[in-house]
Amino acid sequence: MTKRNRPGKFAVPDLKALLGGMSPTRFFREYWHKKPLLIRNAVPNLDQVLDGDGLKELACREEAEGRLVRHVRDNWKVQFGPFTAAELAALPKKDWSLLVSGVNLLNSQGDALLNAFNFAPYARLDDLMVSYAPPGGGVGPHFDAYDVFLIQGLGRRRWEISGQDDLELIDDCPLRILKRFRVDQSWELEPGDMLYLPPQYAHNGVALTDCMTWSIGFRTPTAQEMATQFLVYLQDSICLDGVYADPDLSYSKHPGRIPDGMARGLKDMIQRIRWSDADMDEFIGRYLSEPKPHIFFDPPERPLGAAAFRRRLAAKGVRLDARTIMLYLGQAFFINGERLEAERAMAPLLRQLADRRCLPPGDHEEVFAGLLYDWYRSGFITFNTVATQV
Ligand code: SIN
Ligand code: CO
């Protein structure tokens, strides 16, 4: 029996194992956004975390983002969840694929796996999607706008990839399927193997046996999204004074016409809109730390009082809830879409919390403990389950 087939307990691999012994510096320099990379046995034993039945159960949950893709006689069909157990049990023996996004929010080991990729900034990490497919299943030849790590969790899958520039898609198809796909390279992935693909790299994964793929996806905001979201942000923060006035207005025989002077005056008002570098920083911090719109936090049902919270904080330490996004930019801290008004002295601890997503047991100043207490009551943080050494 080879090492890779020996069943074992899942443990999040350390960075060295994850990148097959390569340093993250070398990975970014030689592969990131540049070329594909296959790492054999990078993440073993994922089948111990979730199997096909486990994924089907997740796909039936109200809060899960599930999709079912079917390929029937050259036609692609997509159905969105939540699904019923009966619907999923009635599926045929081949040629479909069930995909669940945001598994990091539904499974704590999935969350730990996603965070193991924090050799890239959290602001770039998006989510963990897990798919299950019987033989023949897949989502067809396509490309993604973002970098992706595709990890084989269970069974075998053949991945075909292509560096083609031709990215034309089939018209009128519910899935983004390439019109033409010219295979450059292909591999059979076995449990634990991981394939990295740069953005826009064409790929097609076909299940050879019952098969599960874990995809680590990255955030890639579009220029259009940045511009429109910044304008939305600006609308709430802008403050211009003055009202339109036309003391020189004169009589016109064409009351339907907008006077030239009026158009000029209104344009002058619009051109008074200004924003600073600090405004853009503020927007970027808020935007990147904003959880997705379907995310809601669960405050504790019977929260501890402030004194009991501090005792537990000293004994256990705290960690960010899987849904919490905490980032910093320069001296400013952001949590779940809000900017933090924090004293400068708190910065080292806040940076530690944002970088490690947890704080070890310890006594803290009253103001800092008070801030953590507010976040605990909002469901943004929770206690470490084991005393964490950071
Ligand atoms: C899959 O899990 O089947 C699809 C993943 C991908 O191609 O990005
Ligand atoms: Co893809």
Side-chain angles (χ1 to χ4, degrees):
M1 189 184 268
T2 61
K3 185 168 168 251
R4 74 163 56 235
N5 289 330
R6 194 178 304 143
K9 249 181 114 182
F10 172 74
V12 176
D14 62 20
L15 185 50
K16 205 163 173 217
L18 193 62
L19 290 178
M22 186 185 301
S23 73
T25 308
R26 181 169 162 219
F27 171 75
F28 282 118
R29 192 180 57 228
E30 293 180 22
Y31 294 94
W32 180 254
H33 273 33
K34 298 171 196 74
K35 58 182 180 188
L37 173 68
L38 174 68
I39 299 173
R40 295 284 183 190
N41 211 25
V43 190
N45 300 321
L46 273 174
D47 56 339
Q48 303 297 308
V49 179
L50 209 55
D51 58 10
D53 287 342
L55 190 73
K56 284 181 185 170
E57 259 171 52
L58 291 186
C60 294
R61 289 215 216 151
E62 197 60 49
E63 71 273 27
E65 296 170 82
R67 271 179 308 155
L68 183 62
V69 172
R70 284 195 250 192
H71 194 197
V72 190
R73 287 186 295 278
D74 262 2
N75 281 323
W76 291 94
K77 291 197 176 135
V78 189
Q79 249 178 290
F80 293 90
F83 301 97
T84 64
E87 261 174 313
L88 298 179
L91 286 166
K93 284 204 160 36
K94 57 190 187 81
D95 295 345
W96 53 269
S97 183
L98 176 69
L99 304 102
V100 181
S101 301
V103 171
N104 48 304
L105 302 180
L106 305 169
N107 179 291
S108 60
Q109 285 172 303
D111 181 46
L113 176 65
L114 177 68
N115 289 326
F117 287 77
N118 69 1
F119 54 92
Y122 288 124
R124 287 288 265 117
L125 271 183
D126 189 13
D127 88 329
L128 168 67
M129 179 179 82
V130 182
S131 71
Y132 170 83
V139 296
H142 68 283
F143 66 91
D144 297 306
Y146 45 82
D147 309 76
V148 64
F149 288 91
L150 300 158
I151 308 163
Q152 193 65 25
L154 176 92
R156 287 184 300 120
R157 169 164 256 161
R158 188 176 58 248
W159 280 104
E160 301 171 327
I161 65 166
S162 170
Q164 66 192 56
D165 294 325
D166 172 7
L167 297 178
E168 202 181 330
L169 300 175
I170 295 182
D171 302 318
D172 302 324
C173 179
L175 277 182
R176 298 171 68 258
I177 305 280
L178 285 164
K179 234 179 201 166
R180 294 165 288 274
F181 182 56
R182 183 206 68 220
V183 180
D184 287 344
Q185 261 180 302
S186 88
W187 299 276
E188 262 184 37
L189 264 64
E190 296 196 30
D193 296 347
M194 178 168 85
L195 177 62
Y196 162 76
L197 294 176
Q200 321 277 336
Y201 218 92
H203 53 287
N204 183 31
V206 180
L208 300 175
T209 63
D210 281 356
C211 149
M212 287 178 80
T213 298
W214 297 57
S215 310
I216 306 287
F218 290 82
R219 272 184 97 161
T220 45
T222 61
Q224 178 67 16
E225 191 181 338
M226 276 303 87
T228 51
Q229 290 304 312
F230 181 59
L231 289 175
V232 170
Y233 165 77
L234 214 53
Q235 145 186 317
D236 292 333
S237 60
I238 199 132
C239 184
L240 294 179
D241 54 13
V243 289
Y244 177 71
D246 45 9
D248 301 330
L249 188 63
S250 56
Y251 169 70
S252 161
K253 278 187 279 184
H254 304 288
R257 181 164 174 238
I258 297 171
D260 291 345
M262 183 170 196
R264 208 173 323 109
L266 298 181
K267 283 183 205 166
D268 286 347
M269 282 178 165
I270 295 169
Q271 281 170 346
R272 281 170 51 210
I273 300 173
R274 295 275 179 279
W275 60 86
S276 64
D277 206 55
D279 289 324
M280 290 190 283
D281 278 351
E282 173 90 15
F283 159 71
I284 288 167
R286 285 173 183 264
Y287 173 82
L288 290 176
S289 67
E290 180 77 52
K292 291 180 183 157
H294 67 278
I295 301 296
F296 295 97
F297 288 89
D298 296 323
E301 269 172 31
R302 291 174 42 229
L304 297 173
F309 171 81
R310 281 193 76 168
R311 282 195 298 276
R312 184 85 66 92
L313 173 65
K316 298 240 177 223
V318 284
R319 63 182 164 82
L320 298 181
D321 181 86
R323 287 160 284 198
T324 286
I325 307 178
M326 185 177 181
L327 303 170
Y328 53 93
L329 179 60
Q331 304 302 317
F333 289 88
F334 301 89
I335 185 164
N336 296 331
E338 293 296 331
R339 183 190 176 136
L340 199 61
E341 298 306 332
E343 292 167 19
R344 257 194 127 84
M346 292 184 191
L349 280 170
L350 290 172
R351 266 198 292 273
Q352 186 179 356
L353 183 56
D355 286 336
R356 313 265 169 147
R357 295 187 62 81
C358 63
L359 284 177
D363 279 324
H364 296 290
E365 295 282 327
E366 195 163 339
V367 187
F368 186 66
L371 182 67
L372 294 180
Y373 185 54
D374 288 346
W375 290 347
Y376 156 75
R377 290 183 61 112
S378 303
F380 291 1
I381 61 171
T382 154
F383 295 107
N384 287 319
T385 32
V386 282
T388 312
Q389 294 306 319
V390 187

